[in-house]
Amino acid sequence: MKNRIVLFVAGCIALFLSSCLNSDEQEYDIPKDCQITAFSLSSDSVPGLSAVKFVIDQVNGRIFNPDSMPYGTEIEKVVCTVSRANGLYSIEVTQEALPDSTYFWNTKDSLDFSKPVKFVTMAYDMITKKTYTAQVNIHQQVPDSMSWELLNSNLPGFPAKEQKVVTWWEGNDESYYMYTQSTDAGNGYSLHVAPISNPNSWTELAMEGLPAGEARLSQMTGYEDALYVPTTKGELYRSVDGQKWGGW
C-alpha cells in the first residue's frame, strides 16, 4: 500500500514539473504592424476640411488628398485624427512649418499642415518602423483660368508671316525648334532653338535648303528621325537635323 502511495505522489510531482517546463517554453508573438490605417483633418476655421478624403499610400509612405482643396485655402494648426494597426506603439512627428518640432505625438495635439508633416511609427517590438509624409494639396491657381509667363519679347525680331514650333532631340537633350517665315521675302526663313529645360534661352541657328516663300511651315511634322514640310507647289522637304533641308 505504501508503495502505491509513493508512486502516486511521485507521478503528481512529475506531472507538475512537466507542466511548469511547458509554460516556460511557450512563445508569444509581439505585434509588428505599425501602419496608419485611416487619416483625417478637421478645423472650425477651415470650411470643408473635415469632408476632405485622404489616401494612404502604404508602399511609398505618402498621405495626401487626391482632390485638391479650393484655391486660397489656408491651413495651419488643425486637429489630426488617425486610426492605427494593433501593433503600433508610438508616433513621432516632424512639422516642416515649425523648426525643431520633432517629438512623440500623443495623437491629440493639433499639427501645422501649412507644410508637409512627417510621421514615424514604431511597433511594440521597438524595432519595426514606418515613415509617412502627409500633406494637404491646395489648388495653386484659380480653376478655369490660364496662367501665362513672358519668356522672350524679341523673337524672331521681325514680323512673321508663318511660324511653327516643334520639339527635337539634340543628343540626349530635347529642345524647341521655332521656324519662322518673314513677311519680307528677302529675309527668308529663320530658326531659333531653346532647350525644353530652359525655354527662355533661345539661340539662332543657320538653316538652308527650303525654297524661298514656298514652305508651309504650319504643316511641318516630325516622323521617326526626321522632320518633313510640304510646299505650296506640292513638294515635300525633309531634314534629319532640323537645319539642312532637301527635296524628298
Side-chain angles (χ1 to χ4, degrees):
M1 184 67 177
K2 292 183 179 180
N3 290 338
R4 291 182 179 179
I5 294 175
V6 171
L7 290 174
F8 176 76
V9 172
C12 289
I13 293 173
L15 182 62
F16 175 75
L17 292 175
S18 175
S19 176
C20 291
L21 290 174
N22 288 336
S23 65
D24 290 342
E25 294 176 357
Q26 186 173 355
E27 295 182 357
Y28 296 92
D29 291 330
I30 300 176
K32 297 180 181 181
D33 186 355
C34 58
Q35 293 185 131
I36 293 176
T37 57
F39 182 95
S40 65
L41 300 178
S42 62
S43 173
D44 292 338
S45 60
V46 184
L49 181 59
S50 59
V52 174
K53 304 299 182 182
F54 286 87
V55 171
I56 302 177
D57 181 350
Q58 300 289 2
V59 175
N60 299 302
R62 295 179 60 228
I63 302 174
F64 62 97
N65 52 313
D67 296 326
S68 299
M69 295 195 69
Y71 172 79
T73 300
E74 294 184 1
I75 292 183
E76 292 186 357
K77 284 194 173 183
V78 297
V79 176
C80 179
T81 303
V82 299
S83 296
R84 57 176 72 187
N86 60 6
L88 196 155
Y89 172 74
S90 66
I91 302 177
E92 183 183 77
V93 301
T94 301
Q95 303 170 74
E96 285 190 16
L98 303 176
D100 303 322
S101 64
T102 300
Y103 63 94
F104 286 101
W105 183 48
N106 60 12
T107 71
K108 297 180 179 179
D109 291 342
S110 59
L111 301 174
D112 191 333
F113 275 87
S114 59
K115 291 184 179 181
V117 176
K118 183 173 72 173
F119 295 85
V120 179
T121 62
M122 179 179 289
Y124 278 99
D125 64 358
M126 302 300 174
I127 297 175
T128 306
K129 292 184 178 181
K130 190 169 181 62
T131 300
Y132 298 90
T133 299
Q135 67 181 57
V136 180
N137 292 325
I138 300 173
H139 282 296
Q140 297 304 302
Q141 66 181 52
V142 179
D144 302 323
S145 67
M146 299 184 68
S147 178
W148 292 89
E149 178 184 357
L150 178 63
L151 297 181
N152 201 303
S153 61
N154 60 351
L155 285 177
F158 52 81
K161 177 181 178 182
E162 196 173 16
Q163 196 172 52
K164 176 73 173 183
V165 177
V166 296
T167 56
W168 193 250
W169 286 93
E170 294 180 302
N172 295 323
D173 299 321
E174 193 173 14
S175 298
Y176 293 118
Y177 274 55
M178 182 174 70
Y179 294 89
T180 307
Q181 180 182 356
S182 173
T183 55
D184 183 352
N187 290 332
Y189 305 96
S190 70
L191 169 61
H192 291 80
V193 178
I196 288 182
S197 59
N198 185 18
N200 61 346
S201 177
W202 292 85
T203 302
E204 184 172 6
L205 298 180
M207 61 176 296
E208 59 184 46
L210 289 179
E214 296 179 6
R216 301 298 300 269
L217 297 183
S218 61
Q219 298 181 25
M220 182 183 297
T221 186
Y223 179 72
E224 294 185 347
D225 297 326
L227 290 174
Y228 297 86
V229 61
T231 70
T232 56
K233 295 183 178 180
E235 298 174 328
L236 183 65
Y237 281 73
R238 176 177 181 268
S239 175
V240 295
D241 62 3
Q243 295 179 256
K244 296 181 179 180
W245 294 82
W248 185 251

Coordinates of all heavy atoms in Angstrom, one line a residue, residues 65-139:
N65 N -4.5 64.2 -50.2 CA -5.8 64.3 -50.7 C -5.7 64.4 -52.2 O -5.2 65.4 -52.8 CB -6.6 65.5 -50.1 CG -5.8 66.8 -50.3 OD1 -4.6 66.9 -50.0 ND2 -6.5 67.9 -50.7
P66 N -6.2 63.4 -53.0 CA -6.1 63.5 -54.4 C -6.9 64.6 -55.1 O -6.6 65.1 -56.1 CB -6.6 62.1 -54.9 CG -7.5 61.6 -53.7 CD -6.9 62.2 -52.5
D67 N -8.0 65.0 -54.4 CA -8.8 66.2 -54.9 C -8.4 67.4 -54.1 O -8.7 67.5 -52.9 CB -10.3 65.9 -54.7 CG -10.8 64.7 -55.6 OD1 -10.3 64.5 -56.7 OD2 -11.7 64.0 -55.1
S68 N -7.7 68.3 -54.8 CA -7.1 69.5 -54.1 C -8.2 70.4 -53.5 O -9.3 70.5 -54.1 CB -6.2 70.3 -55.1 OG -5.1 69.5 -55.5
M69 N -7.9 71.0 -52.4 CA -8.8 72.0 -51.8 C -8.9 73.2 -52.6 O -8.0 73.5 -53.4 CB -8.4 72.2 -50.4 CG -8.5 71.0 -49.5 SD -8.5 71.5 -47.7 CE -10.0 72.3 -47.5
P70 N -9.9 74.1 -52.5 CA -10.0 75.3 -53.3 C -8.9 76.2 -53.2 O -8.2 76.3 -52.2 CB -11.3 75.9 -52.7 CG -12.1 74.8 -52.1 CD -11.0 73.9 -51.6
Y71 N -8.6 77.0 -54.3 CA -7.6 78.0 -54.3 C -7.8 79.0 -53.2 O -8.9 79.4 -52.9 CB -7.6 78.7 -55.7 CG -6.7 79.9 -55.8 CD1 -5.3 79.7 -56.0 CD2 -7.2 81.2 -55.6 CE1 -4.5 80.8 -56.1 CE2 -6.3 82.3 -55.7 CZ -5.0 82.1 -56.0 OH -4.2 83.2 -56.0
G72 N -6.7 79.3 -52.5 CA -6.8 80.3 -51.5 C -7.0 79.7 -50.1 O -7.0 80.5 -49.1
T73 N -7.2 78.4 -50.0 CA -7.4 77.8 -48.7 C -6.1 77.9 -47.9 O -5.0 77.6 -48.4 CB -7.8 76.3 -48.8 OG1 -9.0 76.2 -49.6 CG2 -8.0 75.7 -47.5
E74 N -6.3 78.3 -46.6 CA -5.1 78.5 -45.7 C -5.3 77.5 -44.6 O -6.3 77.5 -43.9 CB -5.0 79.9 -45.2 CG -4.7 80.9 -46.3 CD -4.5 82.3 -45.7 OE1 -4.6 82.5 -44.5 OE2 -4.3 83.3 -46.5
I75 N -4.2 76.7 -44.4 CA -4.2 75.7 -43.3 C -3.0 75.9 -42.5 O -1.9 75.9 -43.0 CB -4.3 74.3 -43.9 CG1 -5.6 74.0 -44.6 CG2 -4.1 73.2 -42.8 CD1 -5.7 72.7 -45.2
E76 N -3.2 76.0 -41.2 CA -2.1 76.0 -40.2 C -2.4 74.8 -39.2 O -2.4 73.7 -39.6 CB -2.0 77.4 -39.6 CG -1.6 78.4 -40.6 CD -1.3 79.8 -39.9 OE1 -1.6 79.9 -38.7 OE2 -0.9 80.7 -40.6
K77 N -2.6 75.2 -37.9 CA -2.8 74.1 -37.0 C -4.2 73.6 -37.0 O -5.2 74.3 -37.0 CB -2.5 74.6 -35.5 CG -1.0 74.7 -35.3 CD -0.7 74.9 -33.8 CE 0.8 74.9 -33.5 NZ 1.1 75.0 -32.1
V78 N -4.3 72.3 -37.2 CA -5.6 71.6 -37.3 C -5.6 70.4 -36.5 O -4.5 69.9 -36.1 CB -6.0 71.3 -38.8 CG1 -6.1 72.6 -39.6 CG2 -4.9 70.4 -39.3
V79 N -6.8 69.8 -36.2 CA -6.9 68.6 -35.5 C -6.7 67.4 -36.4 O -7.3 67.3 -37.5 CB -8.3 68.4 -34.8 CG1 -8.4 67.1 -34.1 CG2 -8.5 69.6 -33.8
C80 N -5.8 66.5 -36.1 CA -5.4 65.4 -36.9 C -5.9 64.1 -36.2 O -5.6 63.9 -35.0 CB -4.0 65.3 -37.2 SG -3.4 63.9 -38.2
T81 N -6.7 63.3 -36.9 CA -7.2 62.0 -36.3 C -6.7 60.9 -37.2 O -6.8 60.9 -38.4 CB -8.7 62.0 -36.3 OG1 -9.2 63.1 -35.6 CG2 -9.2 60.7 -35.6
V82 N -6.0 59.9 -36.5 CA -5.5 58.7 -37.2 C -6.1 57.4 -36.6 O -6.4 57.4 -35.4 CB -4.0 58.7 -37.2 CG1 -3.4 59.9 -37.9 CG2 -3.4 58.5 -35.8
S83 N -6.2 56.4 -37.4 CA -6.5 55.1 -36.9 C -5.2 54.2 -37.1 O -4.5 54.4 -38.0 CB -7.7 54.4 -37.7 OG -8.9 55.1 -37.5
R84 N -5.0 53.4 -36.1 CA -3.7 52.6 -36.2 C -3.9 51.1 -36.1 O -4.9 50.6 -35.7 CB -2.9 53.1 -34.9 CG -3.6 52.8 -33.6 CD -2.8 53.1 -32.4 NE -2.6 54.5 -32.3 CZ -1.7 55.1 -31.4 NH1 -1.0 54.3 -30.6 NH2 -1.6 56.4 -31.3
A85 N -2.9 50.4 -36.7 CA -2.9 49.0 -36.6 C -2.6 48.6 -35.1 O -2.1 49.3 -34.3 CB -1.8 48.4 -37.5
N86 N -3.0 47.3 -34.8 CA -2.9 46.9 -33.4 C -1.4 46.7 -32.9 O -1.2 46.6 -31.7 CB -3.6 45.6 -33.2 CG -3.1 44.4 -34.1 OD1 -2.1 44.6 -34.8 ND2 -3.8 43.3 -34.1
G87 N -0.5 46.8 -33.8 CA 0.9 46.7 -33.4 C 1.6 48.0 -33.3 O 2.8 48.1 -32.9
L88 N 0.9 49.1 -33.5 CA 1.6 50.5 -33.4 C 1.7 50.9 -31.9 O 0.7 51.0 -31.2 CB 0.7 51.5 -34.2 CG 1.4 52.8 -34.5 CD1 0.8 53.4 -35.8 CD2 1.3 53.8 -33.4
Y89 N 2.9 51.2 -31.6 CA 3.2 51.6 -30.2 C 3.4 53.1 -30.0 O 2.8 53.7 -29.0 CB 4.5 50.9 -29.7 CG 5.0 51.4 -28.4 CD1 4.4 51.0 -27.2 CD2 6.1 52.2 -28.3 CE1 4.8 51.4 -26.0 CE2 6.6 52.7 -27.0 CZ 5.9 52.3 -25.9 OH 6.4 52.7 -24.7
S90 N 4.1 53.8 -30.9 CA 4.3 55.2 -30.8 C 4.3 55.9 -32.1 O 4.6 55.2 -33.2 CB 5.6 55.5 -30.0 OG 6.7 55.1 -30.7
I91 N 4.1 57.2 -32.2 CA 4.2 58.0 -33.4 C 5.0 59.2 -33.1 O 4.7 60.0 -32.2 CB 2.8 58.5 -33.9 CG1 1.9 57.3 -34.1 CG2 2.9 59.3 -35.2 CD1 0.5 57.6 -34.5
E92 N 6.1 59.4 -33.9 CA 6.9 60.6 -33.8 C 6.6 61.5 -35.0 O 6.5 61.0 -36.1 CB 8.4 60.2 -33.9 CG 9.4 61.3 -33.7 CD 10.8 60.8 -33.8 OE1 11.2 60.6 -35.0 OE2 11.5 60.7 -32.8
V93 N 6.4 62.8 -34.7 CA 6.1 63.7 -35.8 C 7.2 64.8 -36.0 O 7.8 65.2 -35.0 CB 4.7 64.4 -35.6 CG1 3.6 63.4 -35.5 CG2 4.8 65.3 -34.3
T94 N 7.3 65.2 -37.2 CA 8.2 66.4 -37.5 C 7.4 67.3 -38.4 O 6.9 66.9 -39.5 CB 9.5 65.9 -38.2 OG1 10.2 65.0 -37.4 CG2 10.3 67.1 -38.6
Q95 N 7.2 68.6 -38.0 CA 6.4 69.5 -38.8 C 7.4 70.5 -39.5 O 8.1 71.2 -38.9 CB 5.5 70.3 -37.8 CG 4.5 69.5 -37.0 CD 3.8 70.2 -36.0 OE1 2.9 71.0 -36.2 NE2 4.2 70.0 -34.7
E96 N 7.4 70.4 -40.8 CA 8.3 71.3 -41.6 C 8.0 72.8 -41.4 O 8.9 73.6 -41.5 CB 8.1 71.0 -43.1 CG 8.7 69.7 -43.6 CD 8.8 69.6 -45.1 OE1 8.6 70.6 -45.8 OE2 9.0 68.5 -45.6
A97 N 6.8 73.1 -41.0 CA 6.4 74.5 -40.8 C 7.0 75.0 -39.5 O 7.1 76.3 -39.3 CB 4.9 74.7 -40.8
L98 N 7.4 74.1 -38.6 CA 7.9 74.6 -37.3 C 9.3 74.0 -37.1 O 9.4 72.7 -37.0 CB 7.0 74.1 -36.2 CG 5.5 74.5 -36.3 CD1 4.7 73.9 -35.1 CD2 5.4 76.0 -36.2
P99 N 10.3 74.8 -37.0 CA 11.7 74.3 -36.8 C 11.8 73.6 -35.4 O 11.1 73.9 -34.4 CB 12.5 75.6 -36.8 CG 11.6 76.7 -36.4 CD 10.3 76.3 -37.0
D100 N 12.6 72.5 -35.4 CA 12.9 71.8 -34.2 C 11.6 71.3 -33.5 O 11.4 71.4 -32.3 CB 13.7 72.7 -33.2 CG 15.0 73.2 -33.7 OD1 15.6 72.4 -34.5 OD2 15.3 74.3 -33.5
S101 N 10.7 70.7 -34.4 CA 9.4 70.3 -33.9 C 9.3 68.8 -33.8 O 8.1 68.3 -33.9 CB 8.3 70.9 -34.7 OG 8.4 70.4 -36.0
T102 N 10.3 68.0 -33.8 CA 10.2 66.6 -33.7 C 10.0 66.1 -32.3 O 10.7 66.4 -31.4 CB 11.5 65.9 -34.2 OG1 11.8 66.3 -35.6 CG2 11.4 64.4 -34.2
Y103 N 8.9 65.4 -32.1 CA 8.5 64.9 -30.8 C 7.6 63.7 -30.9 O 7.0 63.5 -32.0 CB 7.9 66.0 -29.9 CG 6.6 66.5 -30.4 CD1 5.4 66.0 -30.0 CD2 6.6 67.5 -31.4 CE1 4.2 66.5 -30.4 CE2 5.4 68.0 -31.9 CZ 4.2 67.5 -31.4 OH 3.0 68.0 -31.9
F104 N 7.4 63.0 -29.8 CA 6.4 61.9 -29.8 C 5.0 62.4 -29.6 O 4.8 63.1 -28.6 CB 6.8 60.9 -28.7 CG 8.0 60.0 -29.0 CD1 9.2 60.3 -28.5 CD2 7.9 58.9 -29.9 CE1 10.3 59.5 -28.8 CE2 9.0 58.2 -30.3 CZ 10.2 58.5 -29.7
W105 N 4.2 62.2 -30.6 CA 2.9 62.8 -30.7 C 1.9 62.0 -29.8 O 1.9 60.7 -29.9 CB 2.5 62.8 -32.1 CG 1.2 63.5 -32.4 CD1 0.7 64.7 -31.9 CD2 0.1 63.0 -33.3 NE1 -0.6 65.0 -32.4 CE2 -0.9 63.9 -33.3 CE3 0.0 61.8 -34.0 CZ2 -2.1 63.7 -34.0 CZ3 -1.2 61.7 -34.8 CH2 -2.2 62.6 -34.8
N106 N 1.0 62.6 -29.1 CA 0.0 61.9 -28.3 C -1.3 61.7 -29.0 O -2.3 61.2 -28.4 CB -0.2 62.7 -27.0 CG -0.8 64.1 -27.2 OD1 -1.1 64.4 -28.4 ND2 -0.8 64.9 -26.2
T107 N -1.3 62.0 -30.3 CA -2.5 61.8 -31.2 C -3.6 62.8 -30.9 O -4.7 62.7 -31.4 CB -3.0 60.4 -31.2 OG1 -3.7 60.1 -30.0 CG2 -1.9 59.4 -31.5
K108 N -3.3 63.8 -30.0 CA -4.4 64.7 -29.6 C -3.9 66.2 -29.9 O -4.8 67.0 -30.2 CB -4.7 64.6 -28.1 CG -5.3 63.3 -27.7 CD -5.6 63.2 -26.3 CE -6.3 61.9 -25.9 NZ -6.6 61.8 -24.5
D109 N -2.6 66.5 -29.8 CA -2.2 67.8 -30.1 C -2.4 68.2 -31.5 O -2.2 67.4 -32.4 CB -0.7 67.9 -29.8 CG -0.4 67.8 -28.3 OD1 -1.3 68.0 -27.5 OD2 0.8 67.6 -27.9
S110 N -2.8 69.4 -31.8 CA -3.0 69.9 -33.2 C -1.7 70.0 -33.9 O -0.6 70.2 -33.2 CB -3.7 71.3 -33.2 OG -3.0 72.2 -32.4
L111 N -1.7 69.9 -35.2 CA -0.5 69.9 -36.0 C -0.6 71.0 -37.1 O -1.7 71.2 -37.6 CB -0.2 68.5 -36.6 CG 0.0 67.4 -35.7 CD1 0.1 66.0 -36.4 CD2 1.2 67.5 -34.8
D112 N 0.6 71.5 -37.5 CA 0.6 72.6 -38.5 C 0.8 71.9 -39.9 O 1.9 71.4 -40.2 CB 1.7 73.6 -38.2 CG 1.6 74.8 -39.1 OD1 1.1 74.7 -40.2 OD2 2.1 75.9 -38.7
F113 N -0.2 72.0 -40.7 CA -0.2 71.4 -42.0 C 0.0 72.4 -43.2 O -0.3 72.1 -44.3 CB -1.4 70.5 -42.3 CG -1.3 69.1 -41.8 CD1 -1.7 68.8 -40.4 CD2 -0.8 68.1 -42.5 CE1 -1.6 67.6 -39.9 CE2 -0.7 66.8 -42.1 CZ -1.1 66.5 -40.7
S114 N 0.5 73.6 -42.8 CA 0.8 74.6 -43.9 C 1.9 74.1 -44.7 O 2.1 74.5 -45.9 CB 1.1 75.9 -43.3 OG 2.2 75.8 -42.4
K115 N 2.7 73.1 -44.2 CA 3.8 72.4 -44.9 C 3.7 70.9 -44.5 O 3.0 70.6 -43.6 CB 5.2 73.0 -44.6 CG 5.4 74.4 -45.1 CD 6.8 74.8 -44.8 CE 7.1 76.2 -45.4 NZ 8.5 76.6 -45.1
P116 N 4.3 70.1 -45.3 CA 4.2 68.6 -45.0 C 4.6 68.3 -43.6 O 5.4 68.9 -43.0 CB 5.1 68.0 -46.0 CG 5.1 68.9 -47.2 CD 5.1 70.3 -46.5
V117 N 4.0 67.2 -43.1 CA 4.3 66.7 -41.7 C 4.7 65.2 -41.9 O 4.1 64.5 -42.6 CB 3.0 66.8 -40.8 CG1 3.3 66.1 -39.5 CG2 2.6 68.2 -40.6
K118 N 5.8 64.9 -41.2 CA 6.3 63.5 -41.3 C 5.9 62.8 -40.0 O 6.1 63.3 -38.9 CB 7.9 63.6 -41.4 CG 8.5 62.2 -41.6 CD 9.9 62.2 -41.9 CE 10.8 62.6 -40.7 NZ 12.2 62.5 -41.0
F119 N 5.4 61.5 -40.2 CA 5.1 60.7 -39.1 C 6.0 59.4 -39.2 O 6.1 58.8 -40.2 CB 3.6 60.2 -39.3 CG 2.6 61.3 -39.2 CD1 2.2 62.0 -40.3 CD2 2.0 61.5 -37.9 CE1 1.3 63.0 -40.2 CE2 1.0 62.5 -37.8 CZ 0.7 63.2 -38.9
V120 N 6.6 59.1 -38.1 CA 7.4 57.9 -38.0 C 6.8 57.0 -36.9 O 6.7 57.4 -35.7 CB 8.9 58.2 -37.6 CG1 9.7 56.9 -37.5 CG2 9.5 59.1 -38.6
T121 N 6.2 55.9 -37.3 CA 5.5 55.0 -36.4 C 6.5 53.9 -36.0 O 7.3 53.4 -36.7 CB 4.3 54.4 -37.1 OG1 4.7 53.6 -38.2 CG2 3.3 55.5 -37.5
M122 N 6.3 53.4 -34.8 CA 7.1 52.3 -34.2 C 6.2 51.2 -33.7 O 5.2 51.5 -33.0 CB 8.0 52.8 -33.1 CG 8.9 51.7 -32.5 SD 10.0 52.3 -31.2 CE 11.2 53.2 -32.3
A123 N 6.6 49.9 -33.9 CA 5.8 48.8 -33.4 C 6.2 48.4 -32.0 O 7.2 48.9 -31.5 CB 5.9 47.6 -34.3
Y124 N 5.5 47.5 -31.4 CA 5.7 47.1 -30.0 C 7.1 46.4 -29.9 O 7.6 46.3 -28.7 CB 4.6 46.2 -29.5 CG 3.4 47.0 -29.0 CD1 2.3 47.2 -29.8 CD2 3.4 47.6 -27.7 CE1 1.2 47.9 -29.4 CE2 2.3 48.3 -27.3 CZ 1.2 48.5 -28.1 OH 0.1 49.2 -27.6
D125 N 7.6 45.9 -31.0 CA 8.9 45.2 -30.8 C 10.1 46.2 -30.7 O 11.2 45.8 -30.6 CB 9.2 44.3 -32.0 CG 9.2 45.0 -33.4 OD1 9.1 46.2 -33.4 OD2 9.5 44.4 -34.4
M126 N 9.8 47.5 -30.8 CA 10.7 48.6 -30.7 C 11.8 48.6 -31.8 O 12.8 49.2 -31.7 CB 11.4 48.6 -29.3 CG 10.5 48.7 -28.2 SD 9.5 50.2 -28.2 CE 8.4 50.0 -26.9
I127 N 11.5 47.8 -32.9 CA 12.4 47.7 -34.0 C 11.8 48.2 -35.3 O 12.3 49.0 -36.1 CB 13.0 46.3 -34.1 CG1 13.8 45.9 -32.9 CG2 13.9 46.2 -35.4 CD1 14.2 44.5 -32.9
T128 N 10.6 47.6 -35.5 CA 9.9 47.9 -36.8 C 9.4 49.3 -36.8 O 8.7 49.8 -35.9 CB 8.7 46.9 -36.9 OG1 9.1 45.6 -36.8 CG2 8.0 47.1 -38.3
K129 N 9.7 50.0 -37.9 CA 9.3 51.4 -38.1 C 8.7 51.6 -39.5 O 9.0 50.9 -40.4 CB 10.4 52.4 -37.9 CG 11.0 52.4 -36.5 CD 12.1 53.5 -36.4 CE 12.6 53.6 -34.9 NZ 13.6 54.7 -34.8
K130 N 7.9 52.7 -39.6 CA 7.4 53.0 -40.9 C 7.3 54.6 -41.0 O 6.9 55.2 -40.0 CB 6.0 52.4 -41.2 CG 5.5 52.6 -42.6 CD 4.3 51.7 -42.9 CE 3.8 51.9 -44.3 NZ 4.8 51.4 -45.3
T131 N 7.6 55.2 -42.1 CA 7.6 56.6 -42.2 C 6.6 57.1 -43.3 O 6.5 56.5 -44.4 CB 9.0 57.1 -42.7 OG1 10.0 56.8 -41.7 CG2 9.0 58.6 -42.8
Y132 N 5.8 58.1 -42.9 CA 4.8 58.6 -43.8 C 5.1 60.2 -43.9 O 5.5 60.8 -42.9 CB 3.4 58.5 -43.2 CG 2.9 57.0 -43.1 CD1 3.2 56.4 -41.9 CD2 2.2 56.4 -44.1 CE1 2.7 55.1 -41.7 CE2 1.8 55.1 -43.9 CZ 2.0 54.4 -42.7 OH 1.5 53.2 -42.6
T133 N 4.8 60.7 -45.1 CA 4.8 62.2 -45.3 C 3.4 62.6 -45.7 O 2.9 62.1 -46.7 CB 5.8 62.6 -46.3 OG1 7.1 62.2 -45.9 CG2 5.8 64.1 -46.5
A134 N 2.8 63.4 -44.8 CA 1.4 63.8 -45.1 C 1.4 65.3 -45.5 O 2.1 66.1 -44.9 CB 0.6 63.6 -43.8
Q135 N 0.5 65.6 -46.5 CA 0.4 66.9 -47.0 C -1.0 67.2 -47.5 O -1.7 66.2 -47.9 CB 1.4 67.2 -48.1 CG 1.1 66.5 -49.4 CD 2.2 66.8 -50.4 OE1 3.4 66.6 -50.2 NE2 1.7 67.3 -51.6
V136 N -1.4 68.5 -47.4 CA -2.7 68.9 -47.9 C -2.5 69.6 -49.2 O -1.9 70.6 -49.3 CB -3.4 69.8 -46.9 CG1 -4.8 70.2 -47.4 CG2 -3.5 69.1 -45.5
N137 N -3.1 69.0 -50.3 CA -3.0 69.6 -51.6 C -4.0 70.7 -51.8 O -5.2 70.5 -51.5 CB -3.2 68.5 -52.7 CG -2.0 67.5 -52.7 OD1 -0.9 67.9 -52.5 ND2 -2.3 66.3 -53.1
I138 N -3.6 71.9 -52.3 CA -4.4 73.0 -52.5 C -4.2 73.5 -53.9 O -3.1 73.6 -54.3 CB -4.1 74.1 -51.4 CG1 -4.4 73.6 -50.0 CG2 -5.0 75.4 -51.7 CD1 -4.0 74.5 -48.9
H139 N -5.3 73.9 -54.6 CA -5.1 74.4 -56.0 C -4.2 75.7 -55.9 O -4.4 76.6 -55.0 CB -6.5 74.8 -56.6 CG -7.2 73.6 -57.1 ND1 -6.8 72.9 -58.2 CD2 -8.4 73.1 -56.7 CE1 -7.7 71.9 -58.4 NE2 -8.7 72.0 -57.5

